[in-house]
Amino acid sequence: MAKVKLYDTTLRDGAQGEGISYSVTDKVRIAQELDKIGVHYIEGGWPGSNPKDMEFFRRMSKLRLKNSKLCAFSMTRRQDLKASGDKNIEGLVKSGAQIITIVGKTWDMHIRDVLKISLEENLDMIRDTVGYLVAGGAVVFYDAEHFFDAYRASKEYSLECLLAAQGAGAAAICLCDTNGGALTSEISKVITLVRPEIKVSLGIHCHNDAGLAVANSIAAIEAGCDMVQGTINGLGERCGNADLIPVIANLKLKLGIDCIENRDLKELVHLSHFISEISNMRTKSDQPFVGDSAFAHKGGMHINAVMKNPKTYEHIDPELVGNHRRILVSELGGKTGIMLRAKAIDLDLGKEDPQTKKILKLVQQLEHQGYHFEAAEASLELLMKKALKIYGKFFELEGFRVVIEKQSNKKITSEAIIKIKVKGAREHTAAEGDGPVNALDNALRKALKDFYPALSKMKLSDFKVRVLDEKAGTAAKVRVLIQSQDDKDTWSTIGVSENIIEASWQALVDSVEYKLLKDIEEDKPQALNTKS
Amino acid sequence: MAKVKLYDTTLRDGAQGEGISYSVTDKVRIAQELDKIGVHYIEGGWPGSNPKDMEFFRRMSKLRLKNSKLCAFSMTRRQDLKASGDKNIEGLVKSGAQIITIVGKTWDMHIRDVLKISLEENLDMIRDTVGYLVAGGAVVFYDAEHFFDAYRASKEYSLECLLAAQGAGAAAICLCDTNGGALTSEISKVITLVRPEIKVSLGIHCHNDAGLAVANSIAAIEAGCDMVQGTINGLGERCGNADLIPVIANLKLKLGIDCIENRDLKELVHLSHFISEISNMRTKSDQPFVGDSAFAHKGGMHINAVMKNPKTYEHIDPELVGNHRRILVSELGGKTGIMLRAKAIDLDLGKEDPQTKKILKLVQQLEHQGYHFEAAEASLELLMKKALKIYGKFFELEGFRVVIEKQSNKKITSEAIIKIKVKGAREHTAAEGDGPVNALDNALRKALKDFYPALSKMKLSDFKVRVLDEKAGTAAKVRVLIQSQDDKDTWSTIGVSENIIEASWQALVDSVEYKLLKDIEEDKPQALNTKS
């Protein structure tokens, strides 16, 4: 059993971050990724506070997590009700979550100035809420809001709050530096003093307002905590929460604490990128451990030394967290990745095969232009198969025109006109749509439908646009990611251009070609060549 | 005299960051800003290593700094020469810098595997280099590269290196965590042990590879260091150096250490933005103390508490560092949010005013449709002013048409044709662009430029697209966020539609109207009404 448990709150505290807004589907996908990597607890949301979170718990109750336990969050009961009569509390029970996390006040100033109740009443609220839930059979974690401010103001009272929760049956107590203002030395000192008082699991929850959230989390564990709360990439309100990525890496690699498996540690880069992508946030190239620049060497003297002994300028082996060294002058490596990807789709490519080198070069060129194949494996597969001449074109574009028209306050209209050559014929057709890309998508399908009826079985299920170089304003490059699905599979394709319509067109074409190629391969795996 | 001295290396270590490249003029401007805020030491560069840095020192020798001393950096002499015959060392002397900083090896592994010399020879290089410069009258600081790795490997030898520099007359010794891999607890422990051995000033130089650079710097000072090295915004190689912004703020506000004046502390936001701008890097909205989101409140419960007592969710008064509180108006924020936002832009709106209720309802409806005003404060301001009939239209759209055309494999083209009424006239014009939105932007500006010449002063600086309901594929709704700026301000506007062109159009129009309204208000605050 792991000595330190990971408690992820990306879905609750992380979602409070400015600019973040997850759909229920996003939340389910995030929970599944967290489960894969072996996070012990996943805080899913506040079921009482909004219908979206309630829907999330409903959806999750039908799924099975392999590693993680799901937690539902709420605060202590309303001051004018008993816990048994508070709808928020009932929502927790209904959520079906395996663990219920209750946050309560701890700071006398907060209780006095905001709740405007007596300190004793607050203790009652803690005891009543935790006790009621425990009596109903729930496993309850208690989050002591503002614990470090509270302890600074009154050691006695802040401890009383913890003991009230412990006495009422809480299975874990978590100390929150809600405002993120505590220094690392203070965190260490306070936890050393508090630890002996707590007989159950003791957690730490830090915010980054002083730039210390990761250090404070590590220091808390060194001082005796056995649970750490945080979010992937440090998402969260104001300056964010403790970033679980460096927390996990430091625990594993610096303190030798087995909080996740070694093989899952290698997934940190992937997890971080996945969360950035789904949150529509940029990856931070200087993010510790997983950033693109984290093991990038620029100066000649450093490069020279790293070649002689990597330890000279790398604090860990980048492979341990799924990252890699980058030599900024001449990019090395990457052939292994291509080879492994090829293997995954049953292509026979050796590491020293000249084709491997050719594909790697193409991938590097395209990624330099803004492509990002990690998020678009169908496009990568097509690229490899095209390079290996495994398939030909299914159709050829002669041209398209998209016209968007707005008259005064009338509804805007979009129309696409398309001319293609397909199986020797020429199709010239047009369609409308809800926007220019939708019109183009409709026109392309209309042109192809008689030749490839299977396309009616496929639909676009996700469409993402990211601006790559915001500095350039509306002339910036955009990256379009399209996810498509049929009754069996889901696949992602990509396009990059200064023109959003061109980028969308590339991703649309890849999506259609992937579907057609897939159908052929499923029918007759031996005959891969098609003619346009 | 300040108890802790600030040593800024933005111009040397910061310039090693991926993507950063300063001109000599940039470097001079940065040095002047650092001087203004009262940084004690400014490391200007490595005069021996390149002509640009030499030119920088030449330019600086003609300027007078009010507060800061300029430092020139180099490494210990070449192993095959005496210090007196090493051109690098001569470059330092010629630079005219007030302080010379010499970095030298400390780690036995590094000396053995990379330098391939004996440990004794390395000590000689330290003694000879420092001694030679001191004998020539220089004030010399000594940076012990990899000190913490070195200490882990051999306490004795690493200390010998420090004592060699001290014995040769160094005025300060700086302990470098070159690879950024040390934990905070280790930094504290090692410095506590080393401090008694060093009779001169003791500095700390941290990197952020483990996400701990700020915490490690603070812990080092608590353990006895009296000088801290870092860069503004944490710029630097790999994951960057310790960010001096939170280091300074924590020293001043948490430890009460007077490293800069209170009035200069208020300049931290400005300094951080200035460095981002000149480095062509984005500001980080979640940057501790100075980020745009650092004091932003989103949830209604937090907003409510902050109104009663700001200490509930703010670890410091934002004004102390030149920042300000932001109440993010969202459906969660309620009437208080609207009222406070109104107050911030000098509109008189009471919480119970029927207008407040009307605006809140409008905001809620729009947010339900996918608008997101916390990210588009200029659009919110226009919405409020429109609701209060404070301004009229600056122009009226009669219609536009955007045509995107692609022929076979030729480059795609985008053209926008626009018809508007403005100040009684009718403009009908057209423009091309890199994509449909850029074309529309160009056409709108072209149509307006004779009537509102001030628009030439404004530019779009950021453009974001988010798909709101991915499930619907290419027919999904999109949200466009545009950031614009002129020589004084930056503002954000929003548009939402199923059609990306329509959404962009809304955000473009808001951006232009905000600029025009802002100019009028700045000129004559009494006369807000304009006629289209």
Side-chain angles (χ1 to χ4, degrees):
Chain A
M1 209 172 84
K3 214 179 112 198
V4 169
K5 300 292 181 72
L6 305 170
Y7 185 110
D8 179 278
T9 178
T10 306
L11 296 177
R12 206 237 349 137
D13 239 8
Q16 294 289 315
E18 193 171 347
I20 294 185
S21 159
Y22 295 132
S23 68
V24 175
T25 306
D26 289 341
K27 293 189 76 164
V28 172
R29 286 182 63 199
I30 292 171
Q32 288 172 321
E33 288 292 325
L34 292 169
D35 178 48
K36 259 194 232 163
I37 207 172
V39 158
H40 305 87
Y41 306 110
I42 299 171
E43 189 167 84
W46 190 326
S49 78
N50 64 73
K52 199 199 265 178
D53 279 10
M54 197 44 123
E55 168 66 11
F56 165 78
F57 283 100
R58 242 194 309 271
R59 295 258 299 268
M60 290 303 291
S61 68
K62 289 171 203 145
L63 297 172
R64 242 189 96 203
L65 296 179
K66 276 185 309 192
N67 301 303
S68 311
K69 287 186 174 156
L70 199 61
C71 312
F73 177 93
S74 189
M75 60 178 180
T76 46
R77 67 157 166 83
R78 284 174 53 173
Q79 53 206 69
D80 52 346
L81 293 171
K82 295 307 286 177
S84 58
D86 186 324
K87 280 195 177 149
N88 243 319
I89 307 291
E90 287 313 303
L92 290 170
V93 177
K94 277 189 212 147
S95 74
Q98 289 146 294
I99 287 161
I100 290 174
T101 300
I102 293 292
V103 66
K105 310 297 178 218
T106 325
W107 191 4
D108 52 6
M109 183 199 81
H110 197 183
I111 296 162
R112 196 181 56 228
D113 290 2
V114 181
L115 266 58
K116 298 180 194 292
I117 57 172
S118 73
L119 297 181
E120 189 47 47
E121 275 178 87
N122 180 59
L123 291 173
D124 264 351
M125 283 160 58
I126 298 172
R127 278 188 290 255
D128 183 24
T129 311
V130 175
Y132 171 77
L133 289 164
V134 169
V139 176
V140 177
F141 287 1
Y142 182 75
D143 278 3
E145 194 178 6
H146 288 118
F147 181 75
F148 298 89
D149 298 289
Y151 193 84
R152 224 175 285 138
S154 165
K155 257 183 232 198
E156 295 68 30
Y157 185 72
S158 60
L159 265 175
E160 260 189 274
C161 292
L162 303 186
L163 297 177
Q166 180 172 266
I173 305 279
C174 183
L175 308 179
C176 304
D177 184 22
T178 307
N179 295 358
L183 292 188
T184 315
S185 52
E186 185 184 12
I187 298 271
S188 299
K189 207 182 73 191
V190 172
I191 289 173
T192 307
L193 293 167
V194 169
R195 176 73 270 194
E197 310 290 330
I198 304 301
K199 309 303 169 202
V200 296
S201 178
L202 187 65
I204 181 74
H205 173 114
C206 294
H207 282 259
N208 201 36
D209 298 75
L212 304 170
V214 173
N216 289 0
S217 304
I218 300 293
I221 287 161
E222 291 182 297
C225 284
D226 52 54
M227 187 197 297
V228 56
Q229 298 197 351
T231 63
I232 304 303
N233 298 343
L235 299 180
E237 210 166 2
R238 305 188 311 271
C239 306
N241 288 53
D243 183 353
L244 279 184
I245 298 281
V247 167
I248 293 171
N250 281 320
L251 289 180
K252 286 279 295 181
L253 301 171
K254 302 295 166 81
L255 291 172
I257 292 174
D258 229 9
C259 52
I260 62 172
E261 302 290 330
N262 289 340
R263 64 162 190 277
D264 295 322
L265 191 64
K266 283 191 210 294
E267 297 299 317
L268 285 188
V269 167
H270 162 75
L271 179 64
S272 170
H273 286 192
F274 170 81
I275 295 290
S276 297
E277 201 58 47
I278 204 164
S279 310
N280 206 21
M281 309 284 277
R282 266 174 231 111
T283 55
K284 289 182 181 171
S285 66
D286 61 354
Q287 192 178 4
F289 297 95
V290 297
D292 225 35
S293 307
F295 301 94
H297 304 286
K298 189 168 167 179
M301 217 158 57
H302 281 203
I303 292 173
N304 179 41
V306 163
M307 291 300 116
K308 288 175 176 157
N309 183 343
K311 284 186 182 155
T312 50
Y313 294 99
E314 289 175 357
H315 70 127
I316 61 155
D317 175 357
E319 307 272 336
L320 294 172
V321 293
N323 210 338
H324 60 278
R325 177 178 312 145
R326 285 170 60 223
I327 302 295
L328 294 183
V329 191
S330 59
E331 191 89 33
L332 302 172
K335 276 189 288 185
T336 311
I338 297 292
M339 193 187 71
L340 291 172
R341 184 68 209 142
K343 209 172 153 192
I345 54 170
D346 293 325
L347 293 178
D348 190 24
L349 264 184
K351 193 171 172 184
E352 298 313 324
D353 195 318
Q355 297 283 12
T356 306
K357 204 172 160 191
K358 184 178 140 196
I359 292 171
L360 175 65
K361 209 171 156 189
L362 194 56
V363 166
Q364 283 174 335
Q365 276 170 359
L366 288 169
E367 294 222 331
H368 186 71
Q369 288 168 35
Y371 286 77
H372 186 56
F373 289 105
E374 191 175 305
E377 291 186 339
S379 286
L380 177 63
E381 198 174 319
L382 290 176
L383 179 150
M384 292 167 81
K385 289 183 174 167
K386 248 180 245 172
L388 298 173
K389 299 200 170 53
I390 287 181
Y391 84 102
K393 286 184 176 175
F394 290 95
F395 61 90
E396 227 174 299
L397 178 72
E398 294 207 335
F400 66 70
R401 191 161 74 246
V402 182
V403 181
I404 305 123
E405 196 149 11
K406 186 171 172 73
Q407 289 303 325
S408 182
N409 288 320
K410 279 186 223 135
K411 199 172 166 353
I412 195 165
T413 61
S414 302
E415 184 189 25
I417 305 100
I418 195 168
K419 232 187 287 178
I420 57 171
K421 277 200 287 192
V422 49
K423 293 187 175 176
R426 170 185 271 183
E427 282 293 303
H428 188 174
T429 186
E432 289 186 322
D434 283 319
V437 180
N438 186 232
L440 194 55
D441 182 27
N442 291 342
L444 176 63
R445 284 157 184 270
K446 201 167 159 187
L448 292 174
K449 72 177 190 318
D450 291 343
F451 304 90
Y452 301 112
L455 291 180
S456 67
K457 294 270 184 340
M458 144 197 176
K459 62 172 188 162
L460 304 191
S461 53
D462 192 350
F463 177 71
K464 279 202 163 99
V465 182
R466 152 108 15 128
V467 179
L468 295 178
D469 179 12
E470 287 85 351
K471 287 256 152 175
T474 50
K477 253 190 191 175
V478 292
R479 178 199 291 154
V480 168
L481 283 171
I482 286 180
Q483 199 182 73
S484 312
Q485 62 184 63
D486 58 15
D487 44 359
K488 278 190 245 159
D489 300 298
T490 296
W491 60 97
S492 294
T493 55
I494 192 168
V496 172
S497 166
E498 275 171 1
N499 189 311
I500 191 173
I501 306 301
E502 165 105 64
S504 303
W505 170 254
Q506 293 169 9
L508 279 175
V509 169
D510 269 10
S511 171
V512 164
E513 292 198 338
Y514 184 86
K515 162 70 179 163
L516 296 175
L517 189 59
K518 185 171 85 80
D519 285 356
I520 294 170
E521 289 177 2
E522 280 164 10
D523 284 355
K524 27 183 177 168
Q526 304 315 320
L528 287 180
N529 278 292
T530 57
K531 288 193 190 86
S532 68
Chain B
M1 210 173 85
K3 215 178 111 200
V4 170
K5 301 292 180 72
L6 304 171
Y7 185 110
D8 179 278
T9 179
T10 306
L11 296 177
R12 201 218 19 117
D13 239 8
Q16 295 288 316
E18 195 173 344
I20 293 184
S21 159
Y22 296 132
S23 68
V24 175
T25 306
D26 290 340
K27 293 188 76 163
V28 172
R29 286 181 63 199
I30 292 171
Q32 289 172 321
E33 288 291 325
L34 292 168
D35 177 48
K36 258 194 231 163
I37 207 172
V39 159
H40 305 88
Y41 306 111
I42 299 172
E43 190 167 84
W46 189 327
S49 78
N50 64 73
K52 199 201 266 179
D53 279 10
M54 197 45 121
E55 167 67 12
F56 166 77
F57 282 101
R58 243 194 307 275
R59 294 258 299 268
M60 289 304 290
S61 68
K62 290 172 204 146
L63 296 172
R64 242 189 95 205
L65 296 179
K66 275 184 311 193
N67 300 302
S68 310
K69 287 186 174 153
L70 200 61
C71 312
F73 177 93
S74 190
M75 60 179 182
T76 46
R77 67 157 167 83
R78 284 175 52 172
Q79 52 206 69
D80 52 346
L81 293 172
K82 296 306 287 176
S84 58
D86 187 326
K87 281 197 177 149
N88 243 319
I89 305 291
E90 287 313 303
L92 289 170
V93 177
K94 278 189 210 146
S95 75
Q98 291 147 292
I99 288 162
I100 290 174
T101 300
I102 294 292
V103 66
K105 310 295 179 220
T106 325
W107 189 4
D108 51 7
M109 182 199 83
H110 197 181
I111 296 162
R112 195 182 58 231
D113 289 2
V114 182
L115 267 57
K116 298 180 195 290
I117 58 173
S118 75
L119 297 181
E120 190 46 47
E121 275 178 89
N122 181 58
L123 291 173
D124 265 350
M125 282 159 62
I126 298 172
R127 277 188 291 254
D128 182 25
T129 311
V130 175
Y132 171 76
L133 289 165
V134 169
V139 177
V140 178
F141 287 1
Y142 181 75
D143 278 3
E145 195 179 6
H146 289 118
F147 181 75
F148 297 90
D149 297 291
Y151 192 86
R152 223 176 285 139
S154 165
K155 258 184 232 198
E156 296 66 31
Y157 184 72
S158 61
L159 265 176
E160 261 190 273
C161 293
L162 303 187
L163 297 177
Q166 179 170 266
I173 304 281
C174 184
L175 308 179
C176 303
D177 183 24
T178 307
N179 294 359
L183 293 188
T184 315
S185 52
E186 185 184 12
I187 297 270
S188 299
K189 208 182 72 192
V190 173
I191 290 175
T192 306
L193 293 166
V194 169
R195 175 73 269 194
E197 310 291 331
I198 305 301
K199 309 304 171 202
V200 296
S201 179
L202 188 65
I204 180 76
H205 172 115
C206 294
H207 282 259
N208 201 37
D209 298 75
L212 304 170
V214 173
N216 289 0
S217 305
I218 301 292
I221 288 161
E222 290 182 296
C225 284
D226 52 57
M227 187 198 296
V228 56
Q229 299 197 352
T231 63
I232 304 302
N233 297 343
L235 299 179
E237 208 166 3
R238 303 187 313 270
C239 306
N241 289 54
D243 184 353
L244 279 185
I245 299 280
V247 167
I248 293 171
N250 281 321
L251 289 180
K252 286 279 293 180
L253 301 171
K254 302 295 166 79
L255 290 172
I257 292 175
D258 230 9
C259 52
I260 62 172
E261 302 290 329
N262 288 340
R263 63 163 190 278
D264 295 321
L265 191 64
K266 283 190 210 297
E267 297 301 316
L268 286 188
V269 167
H270 161 75
L271 179 64
S272 169
H273 286 191
F274 170 81
I275 295 291
S276 296
E277 200 55 44
I278 205 164
S279 311
N280 205 20
M281 309 283 278
R282 272 175 222 107
T283 56
K284 290 182 180 170
S285 66
D286 60 355
Q287 192 179 3
F289 295 95
V290 298
D292 222 35
S293 307
F295 301 93
H297 305 286
K298 188 168 169 180
M301 218 157 57
H302 281 202
I303 293 174
N304 182 40
V306 163
M307 290 302 110
K308 287 174 177 157
N309 183 344
K311 285 186 180 155
T312 49
Y313 293 100
E314 290 175 356
H315 70 127
I316 61 154
D317 175 356
E319 308 272 336
L320 293 173
V321 292
N323 211 338
H324 61 278
R325 177 178 309 144
R326 284 170 61 225
I327 301 296
L328 301 180
V329 171
S330 71
E331 43 193 346
L332 307 173
K335 279 186 286 185
T336 313
I338 298 290
M339 190 189 73
L340 292 170
R341 186 69 210 141
K343 208 173 149 191
I345 52 169
D346 292 325
L347 294 179
D348 190 24
L349 265 184
K351 193 170 172 182
E352 298 312 324
D353 196 317
Q355 297 282 13
T356 306
K357 206 172 156 187
K358 185 179 138 194
I359 291 171
L360 177 63
K361 211 171 153 187
L362 195 55
V363 166
Q364 283 173 335
Q365 276 168 1
L366 288 168
E367 294 222 332
H368 186 70
Q369 288 168 35
Y371 286 77
H372 188 57
F373 288 105
E374 73 178 46
E377 291 181 342
S379 285
L380 177 66
E381 198 173 319
L382 290 176
L383 177 151
M384 292 168 82
K385 288 183 174 168
K386 247 180 244 170
L388 297 172
K389 300 197 170 50
I390 286 181
Y391 83 103
K393 288 182 174 175
F394 290 96
F395 62 90
E396 228 173 300
L397 178 74
E398 293 206 338
F400 66 69
R401 191 162 71 247
V402 182
V403 182
I404 305 123
E405 196 151 9
K406 186 172 173 74
Q407 289 303 325
S408 181
N409 288 321
K410 278 188 221 132
K411 197 173 169 351
I412 195 165
T413 61
S414 302
E415 183 189 25
I417 305 100
I418 195 168
K419 231 187 288 178
I420 57 170
K421 279 200 288 193
V422 49
K423 293 188 176 174
R426 171 185 271 182
E427 283 292 305
H428 188 173
T429 187
E432 291 186 321
D434 283 319
V437 180
N438 187 232
L440 194 55
D441 181 26
N442 291 341
L444 176 63
R445 284 157 183 270
K446 200 167 161 189
L448 291 174
K449 72 176 190 315
D450 292 342
F451 304 90
Y452 302 111
L455 292 179
S456 67
K457 294 269 180 347
M458 145 197 175
K459 62 170 189 166
L460 304 192
S461 53
D462 193 352
F463 178 70
K464 278 197 171 110
V465 182
R466 183 174 169 91
V467 179
L468 295 177
D469 178 13
E470 287 87 351
K471 285 245 145 180
T474 50
K477 254 190 189 173
V478 291
R479 177 198 290 153
V480 168
L481 283 171
I482 285 179
Q483 199 182 73
S484 312
Q485 62 182 63
D486 58 15
D487 44 1
K488 277 189 245 160
D489 300 297
T490 297
W491 60 97
S492 294
T493 55
I494 192 168
V496 173
S497 165
E498 276 169 357
N499 190 309
I500 191 173
I501 306 300
E502 164 104 65
S504 304
W505 170 254
Q506 293 168 10
L508 280 175
V509 169
D510 269 10
S511 170
V512 164
E513 291 198 340
Y514 183 85
K515 163 70 177 161
L516 296 175
L517 189 59
K518 185 172 86 81
D519 284 356
I520 295 171
E521 289 177 2
E522 280 165 8
D523 284 353
K524 29 183 175 165
Q526 304 314 319
L528 289 180
N529 278 292
T530 56
K531 288 190 191 87
S532 67

